[in-house]
Amino acid sequence: MSPSNELTLSREDIVRLCERVEGAQTRAYAIPKLTDEYPAMTIADGYAIQSELRRRYLAQGHRLVGWKAGLTSKAKMQQMGVDVPSIGFLTDRMARPESSAISTADLVHPRVECEVAFVMKKDLHGPGCTGEDVLDATDYVLPAVEIIDSRYSGFKFDLASVIADNGSSARFVGGGRARYVEELDLRTLGVVMEKNGEMVAMGASAAVLGHPAEAIAMLVNILADMGEHLPAGSFVMSGGITEAIPVKPGDSIVARFQELGSVSMRFV
């Protein structure tokens, strides 16, 4: 196995795998995980495919609105055998309004998770970005629900394949009440997710690397490795506080956040 930060794929392979992922995302069908064909694929290869995917979407007129951190809970990292979270990009076409009806026809295996989202007022650059730097650069936080959708068949995946699939990004909904970070203790926010009126998941924001700002700092440092930074105005999701809950047409979801209000949506 090559070190995770080394590219093993050729430019042709990167483009071909990007087209495979893009097809699965835009036409909502499942594909085998990429490492079935390329077992030596590294995390760096995954990010090369993700960057190519971002380039293609932006060329098609999608607008980059921000980023998200994934695999930020210690349990999830141990389960995946990794010591760093992953990141993915967010575009305007993934955003859905609060209380909207979200179509599942264009999704493969949709699941929902609660996250704290940050909106930045200053640019952030790594390496060496800290949670303190993040809080200082934050305009406000708000509650969000991410709808993730792994495009891999049989729900089988590994970190390199997940990164190539843009961290399973599909849709996101922000809502509730925006609050300044100094008004909150972001470590202890309680969150409850209800599906069709029944509680299905609960957690506290400390599940995200002890503090959601630490997840954003890690994201900024990963961006620095890619020669990128986090611009002011970015919308950034700090990673799932709760486990991801499967949804199907007819389900309604309400995520209730202590101090931040609630976010709701239904699936059709």
Side-chain angles (χ1 to χ4, degrees):
M1 184 78 186
S2 314
S4 64
N5 58 354
E6 279 185 20
L7 273 175
T8 70
L9 297 177
S10 69
R11 176 74 195 149
E12 290 71 25
D13 289 336
I14 289 167
V15 170
R16 199 162 66 84
L17 292 175
C18 172
E19 283 169 355
R20 194 181 296 179
V21 169
E22 184 187 7
Q25 289 190 6
T26 51
R27 296 197 289 283
Y29 55 80
I31 53 175
K33 67 184 197 301
L34 306 184
T35 47
D36 288 358
E37 189 182 344
Y38 292 91
M41 218 177 108
T42 63
I43 290 172
D45 292 325
Y47 280 121
I49 296 165
Q50 186 193 110
S51 295
E52 176 64 16
L53 186 69
R54 174 166 47 120
R55 194 188 66 70
R56 293 173 88 106
Y57 280 152
L58 298 183
Q60 291 161 23
H62 298 229
R63 213 162 43 76
L64 185 70
V65 293
W67 293 84
K68 63 161 221 180
L71 303 177
T72 46
S73 74
K74 288 281 190 270
K76 194 102 175 255
M77 284 197 243
Q78 275 163 351
Q79 182 194 343
M80 298 285 284
V82 294
D83 51 8
V84 287
S86 64
I87 68 170
F89 63 88
L90 301 173
T91 73
D92 57 333
R93 299 195 194 175
M94 299 176 189
R96 292 293 180 273
E98 223 301 72
S99 305
S100 61
I102 296 176
S103 166
T104 54
D106 46 2
L107 300 171
V108 186
H109 315 104
R111 292 172 177 240
V112 289
E113 54 188 43
C114 302
E115 315 204 3
V116 175
F118 288 63
V119 175
M120 313 315 295
K121 63 183 175 191
K122 296 181 192 167
D123 291 2
L124 277 174
H125 294 262
C129 178
T130 65
E132 285 297 306
D133 297 336
V134 170
L135 293 175
D136 177 57
T138 299
D139 194 2
Y140 55 90
V141 294
L142 70 163
V145 168
E146 185 179 13
I147 297 100
I148 54 173
D149 187 26
S150 170
R151 269 62 63 156
Y152 295 118
S153 42
F155 228 70
K156 291 191 164 49
F157 35 71
D158 49 71
L159 190 58
S161 296
V162 168
I163 290 169
D165 186 30
N166 195 27
S168 310
S169 301
R171 308 279 178 267
F172 62 88
V173 180
R177 300 169 56 196
R179 299 285 299 268
Y180 293 120
V181 284
E182 51 274 18
E183 300 173 351
L184 303 169
D185 181 352
L186 278 173
R187 279 189 310 266
T188 58
L189 290 184
V191 176
V192 172
M193 191 187 286
E194 293 169 9
K195 176 167 147 181
N196 306 327
E198 282 182 42
M199 190 174 96
V200 287
M202 60 186 299
S205 50
V208 183
L209 295 178
H211 192 300
E214 295 297 334
I216 308 244
M218 250 190 225
L219 179 143
V220 171
N221 293 328
I222 292 171
L223 281 176
D225 290 343
M226 293 159 62
E228 311 248 0
H229 73 284
L230 184 64
S234 296
F235 175 90
V236 195
M237 288 194 288
S238 58
I241 294 170
T242 55
E243 64 268 40
I245 303 294
V247 286
K248 60 184 189 313
D251 286 342
S252 77
I253 294 287
V254 181
R256 302 185 189 282
F257 290 69
Q258 195 184 341
E259 312 261 13
L260 290 172
S262 62
V263 183
S264 62
M265 69 223 60
R266 56 198 175 85
F267 291 86
V268 293

